Amino acid sequence: MELIFLGTGAGMPSKERNVTSVALNLMAERNSFWLFDCGEATQHQILHTQVKLGRIEKIFITHLHGDHLFGLPGLLGSRSMSGSTEPLTLYGPTGIKAFIESALSLSGSYLTYPLDIVEIQPGLVFKDAQIEVSTLPLTHGIASFGYRIEESDKPGTLDAARLIAEGITPGPLFQRLKSGESVTLDNGQIINGQDYIGPNQKGKSIAIFGDTTPTELGPQLAAGVDVMVHETTLEASMAEQANSRGHSTTHQAAELAKQAGVKKLIITHFSGRYDRDECQRLLAECRTIFPATDAAYDLGVFEI
């Protein structure tokens, strides 16, 4: 599982950064990619990555500002023109359905695949045996949401070395024991697989924030996650300006990461006033409060 940052800029693109989008690589887990936000030219950025349009299973939009949304109609159309027939589910705030239906209708576009559009409310928005996704509202002037992605715990590993030490020969029995079954050996001995399986392995967890000022629901959304992705539009000294425009600073993102007890913070959504070198200064500001911070950059890949 890894995050691929397709755009890390705020408001408008620059020579170094496209506007916001991040892909979650779930190829190993479910043979698909999930996309969070889809600013203008996201599909151009995708061309430089391992992301395949036909393998995008879900798209989650945090809010309806153009720098998070305007790449979506083009991407949906290109996915169709590439011949994909795999279903796609789109999640976003109220209004996302009208936006997409109008864009596709007025442009005479067609889709070769089923598209399900879900207008979200706070709480659980998706769950299956592998992953669940929940959302909470943020504070940004228009409806803006953060998404929490939690992978189900995985079964513990079979202690093969212990079984072999006890004289049990590797083979088909091991697979049954790994499934937790009880098996009877040729000598009549009964072996309970549960006795040889280690504790469950904790699933991965991620919190991806949309644009927001500091909000009281932030610690709940990010509590204890492995990775928190949060905007740091401006430096710490510009808090009044950032907050008045519905955004956060370096120190505010880092304080949240510390309060929520996350393992890693990845900062993104940088104002165009900062080039890549200056973003290192923003990173340093975060690290004074929360050392386990990295700065995203376009086409950057971060393993979870």
Side-chain angles (χ1 to χ4, degrees):
M1 187 183 294
E2 60 187 18
L3 291 168
I4 305 169
F5 284 84
L6 303 170
T8 58
M12 57 187 292
S14 68
K15 291 182 179 179
E16 293 185 331
R17 287 190 294 272
N18 197 45
V19 285
T20 299
S21 183
V22 57
L24 177 61
N25 183 350
L26 295 170
M27 290 297 291
E29 291 77 13
R30 53 197 296 135
N31 197 34
S32 68
F33 294 91
W34 289 4
L35 203 62
F36 293 83
D37 284 331
C38 189
E40 182 183 357
T42 290
Q43 64 172 318
H44 290 262
Q45 296 289 85
I46 283 175
L47 296 174
H48 302 286
T49 72
Q50 60 184 303
V51 178
K52 304 298 182 185
L53 294 182
R55 295 261 62 88
I56 297 176
E57 176 192 10
K58 297 181 181 295
I59 301 176
F60 300 85
I61 301 298
T62 61
H63 64 292
L64 303 185
H65 278 156
D67 59 320
H68 296 251
L69 180 67
F70 283 168
L72 189 52
L75 185 146
L76 295 178
S78 293
R79 190 177 188 270
S80 185
M81 294 180 70
S82 69
S84 178
T85 58
E86 293 296 318
L88 173 64
T89 306
L90 170 63
Y91 303 83
T94 299
I96 186 71
K97 185 177 179 68
F99 173 78
I100 292 301
E101 290 180 346
S102 295
L104 296 179
S105 175
L106 292 171
S107 64
S109 301
Y110 67 93
L111 301 181
T112 58
Y113 52 87
L115 174 65
D116 185 22
I117 303 177
V118 179
E119 296 194 324
I120 60 175
Q121 297 295 327
L124 186 68
V125 297
F126 169 76
K127 182 176 182 178
D128 66 8
Q130 284 183 306
I131 298 179
E132 69 174 56
V133 181
S134 57
T135 186
L136 285 173
L138 306 174
T139 306
H140 187 54
I142 68 169
S144 182
F145 290 85
Y147 292 96
R148 182 184 177 98
I149 304 97
E150 296 181 272
E151 184 184 28
S152 299
D153 291 348
K154 299 176 182 178
T157 57
L158 183 69
D159 191 345
R162 180 181 161 203
L163 287 167
I164 293 170
E166 293 180 9
I168 301 170
T169 304
L173 286 182
F174 273 40
Q175 189 60 43
R176 293 175 60 191
L177 292 169
K178 186 176 180 179
S179 300
E181 294 183 37
S182 292
V183 300
T184 302
L185 305 181
D186 292 340
N187 62 5
Q189 180 184 3
I190 298 175
I191 301 293
N192 185 351
Q194 295 288 351
D195 296 337
Y196 295 84
I197 296 176
N200 285 350
Q201 300 175 9
K202 182 68 175 174
K204 303 293 180 61
S205 56
I206 312 163
I208 297 178
F209 282 69
D211 290 0
T212 187
T213 61
T215 174
E216 63 181 11
L217 294 178
Q220 180 180 342
L221 182 70
V225 296
D226 293 299
V227 175
M228 181 179 92
V229 178
H230 199 286
E231 65 134 297
T232 53
T233 304
L234 292 171
E235 60 198 89
S237 65
M238 301 181 71
E240 183 176 354
Q241 182 175 338
N243 297 165
S244 69
R245 297 177 180 179
H247 293 293
S248 297
T249 68
T250 52
H251 282 183
Q252 290 168 341
E255 289 285 2
L256 172 58
K258 183 177 180 180
Q259 182 181 359
V262 310
K263 293 181 181 177
K264 178 181 285 292
L265 166 64
I266 302 178
I267 56 174
T268 186
H269 199 270
F270 305 112
S271 167
R273 69 177 61 218
Y274 307 111
D275 63 21
R276 188 163 178 175
D277 289 338
E278 289 171 323
C279 282
Q280 293 304 302
R281 177 165 59 85
L282 303 186
L283 176 60
E285 287 190 353
C286 287
R287 286 179 171 173
T288 62
I289 295 171
F290 191 77
T293 303
D294 283 331
Y297 55 93
D298 278 29
L299 307 183
V301 179
F302 296 82
E303 186 175 353
I304 300 170

